[in-house]
């Protein structure tokens, strides 16, 4: 039961030598920084063409700041305040100050000693600072190449998925409620497995979708550790009429997006299925307000992806794209990028840190949280016992019925059967970080779990 009183366990951090957090801070994060520096080097001519010698100077200064950042990280220097004066800088600096207060001094808030969730988010905000401090390349997306390439390499999978959606649409009038549920279940799984395509875990190496996302569902089924599809379906389809949306019956879905390219397509397909079958009447997509965790969706990625699908010469992909663009135009779909999603806070702090966002989410009938980072923030990225309930780990966060759709890429997992986590650890030590396993985990704050 969620009321079980329990000590909040410590945060994952790199101070545990050999832990996934340690290996991430020691190896993967510096690698990501090095790739960012290489990307800036490789685009030197482009900056010159576009901005002349000012562009070259800006590129050089940015690289200098990023090299300094990498050195701070690799030598475990103290975390330092942001200096770019962006609207969120003060929140970040207050957050840092809070850590310094609780640790007692500035020295002990550092890359290998502080919570992994904090320092990893902070790294991406420092990358943003390096760009922001160097106009005219301030709004250059250092991760754009990787996201674009990953999308273009996933085109076969996009084609089969859009064709699959088209088939469903053709026969939707004849589908029974049970058949609708089966398609919902499949598209929910396609969306959760789409989360494997993440360029942060691969440190930028190609991670595009090579296999047919629908055909592989059966073989992947055993690796879904928690599957709450049925209770999600009944939350979506119970009570309110299926009819056309008069205000009371209108049902709203919020999708807190994760990665661009193929994963974004799986989310757009799921949203389209729910709208065209009349189960959902409005979808709000939540992305990041600046480039984040290498492959996370920004406004530019979101609109570029829809324009790309419209322009593709494959008839079903372009038909989907045209439909999606019309949903945006009609306001049935909308894109939002609240600054909170690119702050370091655990979600149990949202109501205090971003009351406007928390209130907005309270108007949703279901909030889907995609990916591993969102799961880490939902549960606070802590050493929870694997068998404690998801509700307990949420520690009061619950603006609306919510569902986490994540492949496991960080060693936090709750809501398992007693002994299940230990069994997995004995058989596969890296079960929480290999992205081989996934959860479709639901929590309804309005009802006892
Ligand atoms: O949120 P996502 O895209 O599913 O995964 C983000 C991620 O790749 O980055 C962090 C490790 O660097 C972890 O949260 C996770 O492995
Ligand atoms: Mn991501």
């Amino acid at each position: 039961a969620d009321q079980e009183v329990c000590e909040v366990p410590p945060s994952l951090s790199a101070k545990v030598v050999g832990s996934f957090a340690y290996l991430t801070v020691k190896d993967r994060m510096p690698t990501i920084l090095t790739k960012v520096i290489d990307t800036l080097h490789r685009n030197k001519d482009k900056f010159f063409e576009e901005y002349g010698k000012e562009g070259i100077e800006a590129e050089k200064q940015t690289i200098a700041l990023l090299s300094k950042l990498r050195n701070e990280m690799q030598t475990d220097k103290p975390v330092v305040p942001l200096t770019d004066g962006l609207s969120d800088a003060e929140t970040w600096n207050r957050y840092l100050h809070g850590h310094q207060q609780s640790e007692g001094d500035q020295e002990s808030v550092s890359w290998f000693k502080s919570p992994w969730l904090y320092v990893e988010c902070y790294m991406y905000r420092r990358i943003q600072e390096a760009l922001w401090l160097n106009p005219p390349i301030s709004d250059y997306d250092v991760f754009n190449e990787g996201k674009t390439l990953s999308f273009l390499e996933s085109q076969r999978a996009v084609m089969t998925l859009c064709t699959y959606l088209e088939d469903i649409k053709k026969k939707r009038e004849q589908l029974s409620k049970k058949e609708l549920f089966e398609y919902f279940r499949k598209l929910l799984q396609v969306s959760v497995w789409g989360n494997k395509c993440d360029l942060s875990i691969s440190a930028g190496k190609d991670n595009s979708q090579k296999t047919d996302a629908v055909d592989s569902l059966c073989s992947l089924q055993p690796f879904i550790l928690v599957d709450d599809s049925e209770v999600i379906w009944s939350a979506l389809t119970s009570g309110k009429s299926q009819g056309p949306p008069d205000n009371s019956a209108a049902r709203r879905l919020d999708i807190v997006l994760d990665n661009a390219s193929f994963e974004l397509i799986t989310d757009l397909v799921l949203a389209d299925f729910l709208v065209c079958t009349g189960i959902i009447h409005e979808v709000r997509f939540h992305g990041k307000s600046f480039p984040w965790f290498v492959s996370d969706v920004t406004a530019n990625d979101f609109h570029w992806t829809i324009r790309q699908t419209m322009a593709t010469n494959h008839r079903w992909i372009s038909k989907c794209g045209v439909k999606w663009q019309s949903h945006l135009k009609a306001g049935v779909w909308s894109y939002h990028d609240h600054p909170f999603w690119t702050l370091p806070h655990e979600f149990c702090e949202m109501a205090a840190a971003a009351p406007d966002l928390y209130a907005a989410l309270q108007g949703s009938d279901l909030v889907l949280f995609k990916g591993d980072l969102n799961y880490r923030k939902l549960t606070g990225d802590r050493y929870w016992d694997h068998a404690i309930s998801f509700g307990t780990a949420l520690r009061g966060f619950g603006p609306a019925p919510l569902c986490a759709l994540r492949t496991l890429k960080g060693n936090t997992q709750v809501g398992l059967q007693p002994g299940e986590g230990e069994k997995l650890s004995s058989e596969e030590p890296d079960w929480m970080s290999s992205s081989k396993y996934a959860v479709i985990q639901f929590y309804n704050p309005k009802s006892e779990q």
Side-chain angles (χ1 to χ4, degrees):
D2 307 341
Q3 277 59 41
E4 73 203 36
V5 180
C6 70
E7 275 299 298
V8 178
S11 308
L12 273 59
S13 86
K15 66 185 159 196
V16 178
V17 175
S19 67
F20 185 68
Y22 174 81
L23 297 172
T24 300
V25 180
K26 182 169 99 40
D27 302 325
R28 201 142 42 81
M29 284 163 60
T31 301
I32 288 167
L33 267 183
T34 301
K35 286 186 184 254
V36 168
I37 292 169
D38 289 351
T39 299
L40 289 167
H41 264 305
R42 269 190 293 102
N43 284 278
K44 197 171 187 156
D45 298 347
K46 209 181 98 176
F47 294 133
F48 183 69
E49 274 157 42
E50 213 158 332
Y51 306 111
K53 66 180 190 326
E54 257 190 299
I56 295 296
E57 186 53 27
E59 182 248 8
K60 212 169 79 188
Q61 290 307 317
T62 305
I63 287 175
L65 287 178
L66 293 173
S67 306
K68 180 174 171 296
L69 171 61
R70 185 175 49 189
N71 178 268
E72 286 173 34
M73 184 191 305
Q74 292 185 302
T75 56
D76 194 22
K77 289 287 186 307
V79 170
V80 294
L82 295 165
T83 61
D84 56 22
L86 282 172
S87 54
D88 63 346
E90 209 224 316
T91 307
W92 277 94
N93 292 342
R94 263 207 316 275
Y95 193 89
L96 167 58
H97 187 64
H99 266 286
Q100 290 165 339
Q101 293 289 87
S102 57
E103 293 300 319
D105 62 62
Q106 304 200 355
E107 300 306 304
S108 52
V109 182
S110 72
W111 294 89
F112 282 81
K113 296 193 260 327
S114 294
W116 174 36
L117 178 64
Y118 172 39
V119 296
E120 189 169 28
C121 292
Y122 172 77
M123 177 184 86
Y124 288 98
R125 181 58 180 79
R126 280 285 300 274
I127 294 172
Q128 175 67 9
E129 176 187 55
L131 270 298
W132 185 257
L133 290 175
N134 286 290
I137 67 169
S138 307
D139 58 0
Y140 180 69
D141 179 350
V142 292
F143 303 123
N144 185 265
E145 283 179 352
K147 290 182 276 190
T148 307
L149 188 65
S150 172
F151 179 78
L152 298 176
E153 312 235 309
S154 305
Q155 279 313 291
R156 287 191 58 75
V158 174
M159 188 176 65
T160 49
L161 187 53
C162 288
T163 305
Y164 184 74
L165 175 63
E166 201 48 40
D167 289 347
I168 297 173
K169 286 182 174 180
K170 278 193 187 103
K171 56 190 177 185
R172 72 170 172 271
E173 305 301 329
Q174 291 76 40
L175 294 176
S176 68
K177 202 149 181 268
K178 184 159 175 9
E179 286 165 327
L180 273 176
F181 170 61
E182 282 312 315
Y183 282 125
F184 171 69
R185 187 181 199 137
K186 282 193 168 70
L187 292 176
L188 207 52
Q189 291 177 21
V190 164
S191 172
V192 72
W193 292 120
N195 180 239
K196 283 175 178 256
C197 305
D198 147 38
L199 294 168
S200 159
I201 191 88
S202 67
K205 274 199 301 295
D206 172 42
N207 208 354
S208 55
Q209 177 74 21
K210 293 284 189 290
T211 58
D212 178 325
V214 179
D215 286 357
S216 52
L217 290 183
C218 294
S219 60
L220 290 170
Q221 181 78 45
F223 300 107
I224 299 180
L225 298 175
V226 176
D227 182 356
D228 292 337
S229 308
E230 299 207 18
V231 67
I232 299 163
W233 178 250
S234 58
L236 279 183
T237 56
S238 62
K240 295 172 184 170
S241 77
Q242 291 270 345
D246 61 64
N247 279 341
S248 62
R251 230 179 257 112
R252 189 185 106 201
L253 170 69
D254 286 65
I255 304 182
V256 182
L257 299 169
D258 185 5
N259 301 310
S261 79
F262 184 70
E263 180 169 3
L264 176 56
I265 294 289
T266 68
D267 300 331
L268 296 170
V269 165
L270 175 63
D272 189 357
F273 166 78
L274 287 169
V275 168
C276 80
T277 53
I279 293 160
I280 288 290
H281 307 100
E282 181 194 352
V283 184
R284 293 188 187 178
F285 297 94
H286 302 271
K288 305 303 192 301
S289 54
F290 58 83
W292 187 255
F293 276 69
V294 189
S295 39
D296 281 30
V297 175
T298 62
N300 182 53
D301 299 324
F302 186 83
H303 296 297
W304 179 84
T305 301
I306 292 189
R307 281 199 309 275
Q308 272 300 110
T309 49
M310 287 172 78
T312 310
N313 60 13
H314 183 274
R315 64 182 305 189
W316 302 133
I317 299 179
S318 57
K319 191 174 179 206
C320 281
V322 169
K323 185 73 195 162
W324 300 343
Q325 186 72 349
S326 72
H327 280 329
L328 282 173
K329 208 160 159 9
V332 174
W333 286 6
S334 53
Y335 179 83
H336 309 263
D337 52 9
H338 193 286
F340 181 79
W341 304 117
T342 47
L343 287 174
H345 300 71
E346 302 171 33
F347 287 166
C348 63
E349 299 162 310
M350 183 194 286
D356 56 331
L357 176 61
Y358 198 86
L361 292 178
Q362 284 179 306
S364 186
D365 289 279
L366 176 66
V367 186
L368 292 185
F369 287 94
K370 291 299 309 295
D372 189 74
L373 174 64
N374 276 323
Y375 194 84
R376 290 170 57 200
K377 288 185 166 185
L378 282 166
T379 59
D381 212 31
R382 295 170 180 275
Y383 286 105
W384 292 104
D385 178 299
H386 301 308
I388 64 115
S389 69
F390 189 28
T392 301
L394 290 168
R395 285 161 298 151
F397 177 73
L402 61 91
C403 175
L405 299 175
R406 65 110 44 151
T407 55
L408 279 65
K409 300 179 231 165
N411 35 351
T412 298
Q413 183 56 54
V414 296
L416 301 187
Q417 298 306 314
E420 189 176 3
E422 291 70 14
K423 184 167 174 295
L424 281 160
S425 296
S426 64
E427 288 160 2
E428 295 179 68
D430 68 346
W431 66 281
M432 280 191 281
S433 51
S434 61
S435 71
K436 176 178 167 186
Y437 290 93
V439 293
I440 298 172
Q441 200 159 33
F442 178 72
Y443 173 71
N444 188 344
K446 298 182 182 110
S447 70
E448 280 309 296
Q449 286 302 306

